[in-house]
Amino acid sequence: MIRLFYNPLVSTISWTEASSVADAGKHALFAGYQSDGSKVYVGKAVDSSGNFVPAKLVPESNACFYEEGGEEKTSDKIEFLFHTEGYSWLKSSNGANVPDAVSVGDNYVGRAEIDGTTVVGKVDPVTKKLVASYYGR
């Protein structure tokens, strides 16, 4: 698992509301690629409880994906992490704390690769594991 962190001496965390996923992709922080070559960006979405959760933005699909209850969900209420200098991905394992990790609510933003696809999700504060959706799961 890889967690996102920022250098507070270089940048501040800046989430920006997006009118569409396509618009977000122009300025969002790049996370990786899907297996089909589509770019993946860092976002957050409003879940069914009305809370923001880390999400994967895929402009080529005009979609924002997040995990809820073991299923992949989509949302049109999104914000994206505005790309500025000072963000980096830092590999972590076994729930190791990452100084200045980017959080959404009670969760940290993390990413991993599954079968050649980058997934963005939440690092659960209790289990210390990445929870993310992947093609409907």
Side-chain angles (χ1 to χ4, degrees):
M1 165 186 22
I2 301 173
R3 294 191 199 184
L4 178 64
F5 79 102
Y6 74 104
N7 180 342
L9 299 176
V10 177
S11 68
T12 58
I13 297 173
S14 178
W15 293 99
T16 304
E17 189 173 343
S19 57
S20 74
V21 175
D23 288 341
K26 297 174 187 173
H27 304 288
L29 183 70
F30 179 72
Y33 293 96
Q34 296 202 122
S35 59
D36 66 3
S38 301
K39 292 181 179 180
V40 173
Y41 297 90
V42 177
K44 62 181 180 177
V46 176
D47 67 10
S48 63
S49 301
N51 299 312
F52 274 111
V53 293
K56 172 177 79 170
L57 303 177
V58 184
E60 286 85 353
S61 301
N62 197 31
C64 171
F65 302 100
Y66 68 95
E67 185 280 336
E68 183 175 31
E71 296 180 7
E72 184 173 67
K73 305 283 186 172
T74 61
S75 177
D76 57 359
K77 297 177 184 173
I78 60 170
E79 292 186 6
F80 63 91
L81 187 58
F82 193 82
H83 176 64
T84 60
E85 291 183 29
Y87 290 102
S88 298
W89 293 99
L90 182 65
K91 188 172 184 172
S92 69
S93 60
N94 300 321
N97 287 332
V98 175
D100 297 314
V102 175
S103 64
V104 176
D106 294 333
N107 301 292
Y108 293 106
V109 175
R111 75 173 181 184
E113 189 173 305
I114 302 171
D115 298 329
T117 293
T118 299
V119 295
V120 175
K122 59 188 175 187
V123 179
D124 184 281
V126 176
T127 65
K128 309 289 190 207
K129 294 183 179 182
L130 180 68
V131 179
S133 64
Y134 173 68
Y135 290 112
R137 305 176 269 173

